[in-house]
Amino acid sequence: MIFEQVATGGCQSYLVGCSDTRVAALIDPEISQIDHYIALAARDGLRIRYLIDTHTHADHFSATRQLARQMGVPVVMHRASSALFVDMRIGDGEMVIVGKLRLQAIHTPGHTRDSMCLLVEDRLFTGDTLLIGATGRTDLPSGDPEALYDSLFDRLLRLDPDLKVFPAHDYKGHQSSTIGQEMATNPRLQKRDRAAFVEMMQNLNLSMPTHVTEALRTNLSGGKSVAQLLTEAAARVPFMSLDELKARVEAADEDLTILDVREREAYESGHIPGARLLPRGQLELRVNQELPDPTRLILACCELGYISTLAASTLREMGFLHTVALDGGMKGWREAGYPLTQGREA
């Protein structure tokens, strides 16, 4: 078996390949590591055949949908998943064949309704059902402490104690454990009475994941996160430096249109001399009126540079091919001590 473990903060993902046939499965991939996964597979001479999520993630953004589009391979999840883009839904006891490897699904609801673990040879990929020194939480959508108790004590903890445990999350730098070690040392697994376990899980009082709503939305629908939209927009848009813009402003460059895409209140509190106001929310509706010449050089600016990058990308898609965004935004302009004009447009 060819095995690669990739950590992204507390998230853990795994590339599991057959050394004879050079095909592989990628388990719980995270969106920011796409290039890393592809590079690892190329380095090891592997062709990724399956993209597997052990459950619907609520605290990070899955890369399965984007990789599926990019690589033309199926997304695999448990049949209880409601994600719209899943190509292969598997049930308890069913297997995904990866060369000479057999990845067997074990349905382990509790953290989420669609949670499953994957057993392959001497390894158990436990998703968020069983963590090292902990378990998955049960207070997120479709979580169920009663179901988690059954999944742990009636399923996983009855497996071979020597099985290596590889979870989807670990925040303390651990790479793996074993079923036996978790049974002996995991504090949550010492609550072996069902009622005591359920009471413990119901009173953990954990804070919500930072991006829970956005993560659930994108991981269920296959849509894009804000970070993805910004990354894609930035890849399509050139940028102008603060110093270059200052020089052009001082030279009264008549070939440049500076477009401030903030709201009016922010604009009037201080904007780049000569900048025109066109809030991002009105861009598509007013662009033909405000920008009649699509051949002009247009610079979009906002407070931090994020909204202006999206605006510049939109303008380029609409045919304003000489649109750029300000690198550093108005925050950078002010911090550099460059001139500001207050009030309405001249």
Side-chain angles (χ1 to χ4, degrees):
M1 181 194 302
I2 299 172
F3 177 75
E4 301 284 354
Q5 182 172 5
V6 179
T8 310
C11 302
Q12 304 289 329
S13 50
Y14 305 94
L15 182 66
V16 181
C18 173
S19 55
D20 292 333
T21 62
R22 317 307 290 188
V23 296
L26 184 56
I27 302 171
D28 289 328
E30 200 274 339
I31 195 74
S32 68
Q33 296 281 7
I34 284 179
D35 291 340
H36 190 183
Y37 301 133
I38 294 172
L40 283 176
R43 186 198 66 187
D44 294 338
L46 296 172
R47 180 167 62 88
I48 297 174
R49 180 167 288 178
Y50 296 108
L51 302 160
I52 306 175
D53 269 330
T54 56
H55 62 288
T56 300
H57 299 283
D59 57 353
H60 71 271
F61 303 103
S62 171
T64 52
R65 179 57 172 154
Q66 185 167 329
L67 280 167
R69 291 171 178 157
Q70 192 168 328
M71 305 175 71
V73 297
V75 174
V76 180
M77 292 187 74
H78 187 266
R79 64 178 52 160
S81 170
S82 57
L84 301 176
F85 54 87
V86 177
D87 302 294
M88 181 188 294
R89 300 177 188 273
I90 62 176
D92 186 56
E94 297 174 359
M95 295 186 298
V96 173
I97 296 177
V98 182
K100 295 183 178 180
L101 300 176
R102 302 299 191 263
L103 280 65
Q104 183 177 17
I106 304 172
H107 187 208
T108 53
H111 173 62
T112 61
R113 183 175 52 248
D114 62 353
S115 289
M116 67 176 179
C117 299
L118 296 167
L119 176 62
V120 53
E121 296 187 349
D122 64 343
R123 297 161 197 240
L124 183 67
F125 299 96
T126 57
D128 279 7
T129 300
L130 176 60
L131 308 179
I132 299 174
T135 64
R137 61 197 296 167
T138 57
D139 59 340
L140 297 176
S142 80
D144 183 342
E146 297 268 3
L148 182 61
Y149 178 90
D150 293 335
S151 294
L152 290 168
F153 289 96
D154 294 341
R155 302 298 305 272
L156 298 189
L157 300 184
R158 295 188 179 189
L159 298 173
D160 184 348
D162 292 329
L163 270 178
K164 297 176 183 177
V165 170
F166 291 94
H169 289 91
D170 183 80
Y171 300 96
K172 297 182 179 179
H174 303 299
Q175 290 189 312
S176 68
S177 181
T178 67
I179 292 291
Q181 288 172 346
E182 292 309 303
M183 290 179 64
T185 64
N186 190 319
R188 294 188 191 174
L189 301 184
Q190 308 316 304
K191 300 282 188 179
R192 300 187 182 184
D193 175 76
R194 173 187 288 271
F197 180 85
V198 170
E199 182 181 8
M200 172 190 66
M201 295 304 299
Q202 290 176 333
N203 291 281
L204 293 177
N205 296 319
L206 302 172
S207 60
M208 284 291 108
T210 304
H211 303 291
V212 60
T213 301
E214 187 181 17
L216 286 172
R217 171 181 60 78
T218 59
N219 292 337
L220 284 170
S221 68
K224 295 179 180 180
S225 67
V226 174
Q228 279 180 272
L229 292 173
L230 284 168
T231 298
E232 293 174 4
R236 296 190 292 262
V237 172
F239 291 82
M240 183 178 292
S241 71
L242 296 167
D243 290 344
E244 175 67 18
L245 178 58
K246 177 175 179 288
R248 288 174 179 259
V249 169
E250 290 175 344
D253 187 347
E254 295 182 355
D255 295 325
L256 173 66
T257 296
I258 303 172
L259 204 63
D260 194 317
V261 296
R262 298 176 296 166
E263 294 301 315
R264 178 171 295 278
E265 182 179 356
Y267 172 86
E268 292 181 357
S269 69
H271 55 267
I272 296 168
R276 299 170 60 178
L277 174 64
L278 180 52
R280 175 65 185 89
Q282 302 175 29
L283 183 66
E284 289 84 352
L285 298 177
R286 292 175 49 192
V287 67
N288 293 327
Q289 172 188 348
E290 299 291 337
L291 302 172
D293 183 357
T295 66
R296 286 185 61 81
L297 173 60
I298 301 167
L299 177 134
C301 63
C302 68
E303 182 61 24
L304 299 176
Y306 301 139
I307 295 174
S308 58
T309 299
L310 294 170
S313 177
T314 297
L315 285 169
R316 292 176 74 88
E317 289 179 0
M318 296 178 72
F320 296 88
L321 302 182
H322 301 290
T323 304
V324 302
L326 179 60
D327 185 23
M330 290 302 301
K331 182 175 184 292
W333 183 268
R334 285 195 304 272
E335 290 176 350
Y338 293 162
L340 291 169
T341 298
Q342 294 182 332
R344 294 178 173 270
E345 296 175 82

